[in-house]
Amino acid sequence: MHALLVEDDDRMAQALGTALAQRGHTVRRVGRALDALRFVREAEFVLLDLGLPDLDGLELLRRLRTVCDAPLIVVTARCEERDIVQGLRAGADDYVVKPFRMAELMARIDTVRRRTGASSGRVQTRTAGSAAPGVRPVRSGDVEVDLAGRTVTVAGAEVRLTRREFDVLAFLAARPDEVHSREEILDRIWGDAFLAASRSLDVHVAGIRAKTGRSGLVRTVRGFGYQLGCPTGRDGEGGSAR
């Protein structure tokens, strides 16, 4: 796998590059946002530091996501909840705070690759939230979720969700009559039922509600998990919305 390492600290970049190379990956290291944008299209995986000299890392993340859908992990010293939430909302697949254990980071890389379908240097189109061609779209009120085409429309207008937001919504839509526990969703979509940053699920649910403008589309079952809801229904039915 070819990784793009966006890190301006030479010692950290050397350590990460060595660890990736020992696992058989090729690495291009850059220390500036402009170079990251230049080379990202060739990347099959991205490790992104947020503290860059020429552009804020979160802004770079947003720009990268407009041109690249490769798996991406933020690796940064920023540890405030606000930063983590913003990173996940901007499209990061995982968020790792420095200092970290190298073995844990490598395990997270492997997990992200598995759950996004990235293997043998090629990103596949089907993920945990996708369906085989021919599966009929799921409707809930005026929202239609096309599981095969990976699109969402609200009142006939397409809504752009991030890959992970769609995965969560598609998973709920595939079995709309069932309530799914947080652990089940985290295991299926993130590949880790005990994900350290389990706040990620709540962030993505909030993103689905905000972008569709239908707060009742994902129904919260307090203390347990989530279920596909009725967009025109009340958030509080069966549990308050997060």
Side-chain angles (χ1 to χ4, degrees), residues 16-156:
L16 286 170
T18 299
L20 289 167
Q22 288 175 343
R23 287 160 176 78
H25 306 305
T26 60
V27 182
R28 180 187 291 277
R29 181 260 176 134
V30 299
R32 298 175 63 86
L34 291 180
D35 290 329
L37 289 166
R38 177 184 176 189
F39 293 111
V40 71
R41 287 180 176 83
E42 70 183 34
E44 294 164 334
F45 197 93
V46 181
L47 292 179
L48 174 63
D49 180 33
L50 298 183
L52 301 174
D54 55 335
L55 185 68
D56 180 73
L58 285 173
E59 177 59 27
L60 173 60
L61 174 54
R62 296 184 186 99
R63 295 188 186 185
L64 291 176
R65 276 300 178 229
T66 67
V67 297
C68 174
D69 199 36
L72 184 150
I73 293 180
V74 168
V75 183
T76 180
R78 298 184 189 177
C79 59
E80 297 296 327
E81 182 181 35
R82 179 173 180 270
D83 295 316
I84 297 173
V85 169
Q86 287 182 329
L88 294 169
R89 283 180 172 168
D93 293 289
D94 203 349
Y95 194 106
V96 176
V97 176
K98 301 175 183 176
F100 56 85
R101 295 180 178 87
M102 191 64 72
E104 177 185 350
L105 176 61
M106 294 301 116
R108 286 180 177 272
I109 290 173
D110 291 341
T111 298
V112 168
R113 292 177 63 205
R114 286 195 302 270
R115 75 187 184 219
T116 58
S119 59
S120 303
R122 186 170 299 175
V123 177
Q124 303 169 359
T125 56
R126 291 186 62 190
T127 68
S130 62
V135 175
R136 297 180 62 182
V138 177
R139 292 192 63 89
S140 181
D142 62 352
V143 178
E144 181 175 280
V145 184
D146 185 343
L147 302 178
R150 292 184 63 81
T151 60
V152 178
T153 58
V154 179

Side-chain angles (χ1 to χ4, degrees), residues 106-242:
M106 294 301 116
R108 286 180 177 272
I109 290 173
D110 291 341
T111 298
V112 168
R113 292 177 63 205
R114 286 195 302 270
R115 75 187 184 219
T116 58
S119 59
S120 303
R122 186 170 299 175
V123 177
Q124 303 169 359
T125 56
R126 291 186 62 190
T127 68
S130 62
V135 175
R136 297 180 62 182
V138 177
R139 292 192 63 89
S140 181
D142 62 352
V143 178
E144 181 175 280
V145 184
D146 185 343
L147 302 178
R150 292 184 63 81
T151 60
V152 178
T153 58
V154 179
E158 184 173 350
V159 175
R160 294 181 63 85
L161 301 180
T162 67
R163 176 181 58 207
R164 194 62 61 231
E165 287 168 348
F166 182 86
D167 288 345
V168 171
L169 181 58
F171 180 68
L172 300 178
R175 291 182 288 173
D177 297 328
E178 297 182 23
V179 177
H180 303 275
S181 70
R182 294 176 58 85
E183 291 76 15
E184 179 187 7
I185 299 170
L186 287 167
D187 182 60
R188 182 65 183 274
I189 306 300
W190 274 264
D192 184 355
F194 304 98
L195 186 67
S198 61
R199 170 76 170 140
S200 178
L201 174 56
D202 302 325
V203 169
H204 286 83
V205 167
I208 294 168
R209 290 168 173 161
K211 292 178 181 179
T212 60
R214 301 293 185 268
S215 60
L217 180 59
V218 179
R219 173 175 170 261
T220 300
V221 179
R222 186 181 294 278
F224 185 75
Y226 294 103
Q227 179 184 22
L228 188 72
C230 177
T232 56
R234 296 176 59 190
D235 295 338
E237 295 177 2
S240 61
R242 291 180 185 269

